[in-house]
Amino acid sequence: MGRTRVRRAVPLSAALLLVLAALAVVLTVAARGSGGHPATVPADGVGPTGPAPVDLAARVDEYTADFGPDGPYTVPDQAQRRAVADGVLAALDGRPERAGPVLAAVGYRLSEFTEAGSGRRVAEIAESPGRAADDRGWGRVYLDLSAKAAWSVQVPHPVSDSRTERLGVDVFRAGPGGVLVLAGAHRRAGPDGSSDVAHRADTVFAAVVEALTARGLPGLQLHGFDEGSLPGQDAVVSGGAGPAGPAAELTAGGLGQAGFAVCRAWREKCGQLTGTTNVEGRFAAGLGVPWIHVELGAGPRTEPRRRASVTAALAATTASWRTGATP
């Protein structure tokens, strides 16, 4: 009998598998670098799915900690306002390769992280690192990437209207499809009221909100008032310069059911707290896009348990926009 030939198939197969595995890794890395989100950077510094989720509430608290009437603010020119708004829209459209360069041209960057409170992926549009303490005061935008954008929550007076910045985060976290637009300075920081973004159209905040509104996204804008200016009331709900629609009714009803005394501006006199001069509200009214102005007393904003009740009521409104239950 002749010798039996033993083929060395097993070692060759193992080697082939190693080569294929290495190739797969290379292709995966290349795909992530070019076909996924090439213009974004990880906000956690670890990677696009870094192990440490970011607490958005803590991030916003850190950002706004030094806001004050003597803080810095620079009035942006039209091209700068337009660039940030265009960058936001490109990110909203899932085009980070377009958003990145547009934002970078005006000192902004687009980054992503997993948000700890909601577990969802979030995009942050903020001043690029190295810019001294956000010295221009133009603000930030956060986009929920888990669902198609369907509504915005707007915080024009962080710190000045105490804890509206935290309420904005809470509402943003409470349901998918949201965009959080946050002003970048105290309302009295700029000369001649230039940093009061609720009453100035020449701001990055107004440009971003108008761009979102022009896309048809309804908006919820949060404010705070001293109870002494409207005794006996915890909240004021209005449609600003536009009519109060079903969403405003839903908002007021939800706050009332939560135990808050609510002044409905379309039915009763609510002092100077109805938002009729608000520039974002006027823009929305001109386009017929739902927009709600919500004023809250100190307790509903600053006391965690009461703020949670406010959040639940406002989340019902944003959910109705996302599902199309209210126009």
Side-chain angles (χ1 to χ4, degrees), residues 109-158:
R109 76 168 186 173
L110 172 65
S111 59
E112 292 183 18
F113 56 84
T114 297
E115 203 287 303
S118 64
R120 297 192 290 266
R121 290 296 290 177
V122 167
E124 177 186 73
I125 295 169
E127 296 270 12
S128 299
R131 195 169 281 282
D134 293 304
D135 58 356
R136 299 180 300 185
W138 292 353
R140 292 182 174 184
V141 181
Y142 293 93
L143 311 175
D144 173 27
L145 300 177
S146 73
K148 181 180 178 181
W151 52 271
S152 74
V153 56
Q154 307 156 16
V155 183
H157 300 145

Side-chain angles (χ1 to χ4, degrees):
M1 295 178 64
R3 291 183 181 180
T4 301
R5 294 183 179 178
V6 180
R7 295 184 179 180
R8 300 181 181 274
V10 174
L12 288 174
S13 297
L16 181 59
L17 287 173
L18 288 173
V19 171
L20 290 175
L23 181 60
V25 170
V26 171
L27 291 174
T28 300
V29 171
R32 287 179 177 174
S34 61
H37 299 283
T40 65
V41 295
D44 49 26
V46 179
T49 57
V54 172
D55 182 343
L56 183 57
R59 194 176 187 87
V60 168
D61 280 349
E62 180 182 11
Y63 173 60
T64 60
D66 295 328
F67 284 12
D70 298 323
Y73 182 74
T74 302
V75 178
D77 62 33
Q78 184 176 11
Q80 291 167 327
R81 300 193 301 269
R82 187 67 260 166
V84 179
D86 286 347
V88 170
L89 292 181
L92 203 69
D93 291 338
R95 298 177 59 201
E97 76 286 352
R98 164 66 177 162
V102 170
L103 293 168
V106 289
Y108 267 71
R109 76 168 186 173
L110 172 65
S111 59
E112 292 183 18
F113 56 84
T114 297
E115 203 287 303
S118 64
R120 297 192 290 266
R121 290 296 290 177
V122 167
E124 177 186 73
I125 295 169
E127 296 270 12
S128 299
R131 195 169 281 282
D134 293 304
D135 58 356
R136 299 180 300 185
W138 292 353
R140 292 182 174 184
V141 181
Y142 293 93
L143 311 175
D144 173 27
L145 300 177
S146 73
K148 181 180 178 181
W151 52 271
S152 74
V153 56
Q154 307 156 16
V155 183
H157 300 145
V159 179
S160 174
D161 288 356
S162 180
R163 304 311 281 160
T164 50
E165 66 277 5
R166 178 55 190 270
L167 179 58
V169 170
D170 291 345
V171 173
F172 178 74
R173 281 173 164 173
V179 180
L180 169 60
V181 188
L182 179 67
H186 191 282
R187 68 183 299 177
R188 295 187 182 88
D192 302 320
S194 58
S195 62
D196 183 357
V197 300
H199 297 97
R200 290 283 294 249
D202 58 345
T203 67
V204 166
F205 182 95
V208 170
V209 171
E210 288 178 5
L212 296 173
T213 304
R215 286 287 186 93
L217 268 66
L220 187 67
Q221 193 168 114
L222 307 177
H223 293 261
F225 69 95
D226 181 344
E227 282 89 340
S229 60
L230 197 65
Q233 300 289 353
D234 297 310
V236 178
V237 177
S238 79
E249 291 277 9
L250 178 64
T251 301
L255 290 169
Q257 290 173 10
F260 297 108
V262 183
C263 186
R264 293 164 170 81
W266 57 96
R267 295 183 187 172
E268 52 195 313
K269 294 182 179 180
C270 302
Q272 303 299 311
L273 303 173
T274 58
T276 55
T277 61
N278 186 289
V279 296
E280 292 82 32
R282 286 185 169 182
F283 185 84
L287 295 181
V289 175
W291 185 88
I292 304 174
H293 186 273
V294 179
E295 290 270 4
L296 295 160
R301 287 178 281 121
T302 62
E303 298 171 20
R305 185 175 299 178
R306 300 183 77 191
R307 189 170 63 238
S309 296
V310 173
T311 298
L314 300 184
T317 299
T318 63
S320 76
W321 283 332
R322 183 171 61 85
T323 61
T326 58

